[in-house]
Amino acid sequence: MPRMITGIKPTGRPHLGNYLGMIRPALDLARSAGAGDGAPLFFVPDYHALTITPPPAELRAAVLDLTATLIAFGLDPDRDILYRQSDLPEVCELTWILGCTCAKGLLNRAHAYKAAVADNLAHGRQADHGIGFGVYSYPVLMAADILLHRAAAVPVGRDQRQHVEIARDVAESFNRAYGPVLVVPEPVVDERMMTVPGLDGRKMSKSYGNQLALAAPPDEIRRWVSRIVTDSRPPAEPKEPDTILALYRGVAPDAEARDLERRYRTGGVGYAEAKALLADAIERLVGPARERHAELMADPAGLRDILARGAGRARESAAGTIAAVRAATGLGWA
Ligand code: ADP
Ligand code: TRP
């Protein structure tokens, strides 16, 4: 199995979409072939989070929250390498070097940047109004995260696929200029859970405010599920696949999901019952992790210690690539 790496940004509380779309598939991949060619890498990209200039205390709290979340859901900090991005400043050096062989036009095509430009133009503003260089160069930093460890497999949610494709292009243009130094990575996207819907049926996302926090207690889960928008068909009438069913497929065991799917098709299940089933299945999935998360959060020094150990292992993992890149480019003395 090729080496894997993934990261999840410390902005806001992690939600069910993050878990189903990215955290669970990444943990499954990490467990699927043991250590493979080196321990799987997970990190918390706090440099990336600076694009929205969060208050410093909030950023640090979010780093700890994500660290605890990943462990609560099954990351093993003794086997996997779990670190905070800013404990590995080598990534900034590599970002600069990669930026020198990366075409600017490649970054013009990144979805997030294009969306920001489109929004400006739609509001009659200048194309680049208010868009920071951090937002623009975000994909190069992300490429550096991946290439620094010679990772080949990058499990991400669907909306991050393009960023990993940019990382491929960035690696290839460096290799064209300097020889085959960098490993060209591949995105790994879980086809079952490509886009987890939120309350209103749109993609579950912090930006839409339609998300369910992973740490939500049972009554918050029930209240959230009760607010999922449905049509007004009575129980006996057949139903179209909807948000309830899509989420149920993600959180319930396969046989139970197939059963609800059949009852949707044939009629014989009301939305109230379907919502109750969904709330129970979410609780079964996240309940045990919520308790573990609370225990971990009660010991921030323990979490910081885990990150410090991870940082040491991550720097070891990065050292060979940085040395090879420096040698290939003529930086430092041979
Ligand atoms: P948000 O959209 O809430 O800001 P992020 O962009 O921080 O979420 O996403 C972190 C990770 O979780 C990414 O790999 C992303 O692809 C995945 N992800 C986020 N929301 C969803 C979703 N609704 N469905 C599937 N994957 C998701
Ligand atoms: N851009 C990712 C997100 O917004 C987070 C991220 C940063 C990442 N660097 C990465 C993911 C490297 C995978 C690999 O969710």
Side-chain angles (χ1 to χ4, degrees):
M1 164 171 138
R3 180 145 217 216
M4 67 149 269
I5 187 165
T6 195
I8 173 158
K9 237 184 332 179
T11 48
R13 298 159 83 196
H15 57 70
L16 189 63
N18 299 143
Y19 179 66
L20 299 177
M22 189 281 226
I23 299 175
R24 184 171 68 183
L27 288 169
D28 287 350
L29 184 64
R31 293 291 82 86
S32 66
D37 302 336
L41 293 140
F42 292 82
F43 71 102
V44 186
D46 53 346
Y47 285 135
H48 276 110
L50 289 188
T51 58
I52 58 164
T53 49
E58 240 170 63
L59 178 60
R60 291 192 195 104
V63 169
L64 292 181
D65 186 5
L66 267 184
T67 304
T69 299
L70 290 168
I71 298 169
F73 279 99
L75 185 146
D76 176 352
D78 292 324
R79 175 155 43 154
D80 306 318
I81 299 179
L82 173 58
Y83 66 99
R84 174 171 66 161
Q85 186 185 32
S86 61
D87 285 329
L88 192 66
E90 290 87 336
V91 76
C92 291
E93 177 180 356
L94 187 59
T95 299
W96 171 258
I97 297 170
L98 295 173
C100 294
T101 46
C102 166
K104 177 174 173 288
L106 184 64
L107 303 180
N108 292 340
R109 292 192 290 276
H111 296 321
Y113 172 67
K114 271 173 62 178
V117 169
D119 185 60
N120 276 335
L121 296 178
H123 288 87
R125 296 185 292 253
Q126 278 201 326
D128 280 327
H129 176 84
I131 303 177
F133 183 67
V135 168
Y136 187 68
S137 59
Y138 186 108
V140 188
L141 178 57
M142 180 154 162
D145 289 326
I146 299 167
L147 304 178
L148 193 54
H149 298 287
R150 301 173 192 264
V154 189
V156 281
R158 175 157 72 166
D159 57 353
Q160 292 294 318
R161 178 195 283 272
Q162 190 205 25
H163 282 149
V164 183
E165 280 158 2
I166 294 176
R168 289 178 62 82
D169 289 341
V170 167
E172 279 164 356
S173 45
F174 181 91
N175 286 349
R176 261 196 308 279
Y178 292 111
V181 176
L182 297 173
V183 173
V184 180
E186 288 275 357
V188 182
V189 179
D190 187 333
E191 301 298 329
R192 285 173 310 142
M193 271 291 141
M194 292 218 290
T195 303
V196 178
L199 269 189
D200 51 2
R202 290 190 293 172
K203 173 193 174 244
M204 186 181 290
S205 170
K206 281 164 295 213
S207 355
Y208 299 144
N210 62 357
Q211 76 276 29
L212 175 66
L214 279 173
D219 57 324
E220 190 181 326
I221 296 177
R222 263 193 308 278
R223 254 181 296 138
W224 185 87
V225 169
S226 74
R227 286 167 49 222
I228 295 177
V229 181
T230 63
D231 56 39
S232 53
R233 288 176 217 213
E237 212 175 298
K239 296 177 178 58
E240 301 296 325
D242 62 357
T243 302
I244 304 173
L245 189 59
L247 289 171
Y248 196 67
R249 284 197 192 108
V251 296
D254 282 348
E256 289 169 34
R258 277 198 300 275
D259 194 47
L260 187 62
E261 215 172 312
R262 184 184 51 73
R263 295 175 67 204
Y264 257 67
R265 257 200 324 273
T266 56
V269 61
Y271 288 122
E273 186 193 344
K275 285 181 168 182
L277 286 171
L278 174 61
D280 285 349
I282 295 175
E283 173 57 21
R284 265 183 285 154
L285 185 72
V286 305
R290 182 173 57 234
E291 281 167 35
R292 180 86 184 100
H293 177 265
E295 284 163 22
L296 289 158
M297 288 300 279
D299 179 18
L303 290 172
R304 283 200 295 270
D305 190 51
I306 288 172
L307 290 174
R309 273 189 288 134
R313 294 168 72 201
R315 294 189 83 165
E316 258 170 51
S317 151
T321 315
I322 281 290
V325 165
R326 286 182 146 250
T329 48
L331 297 168
W333 298 116

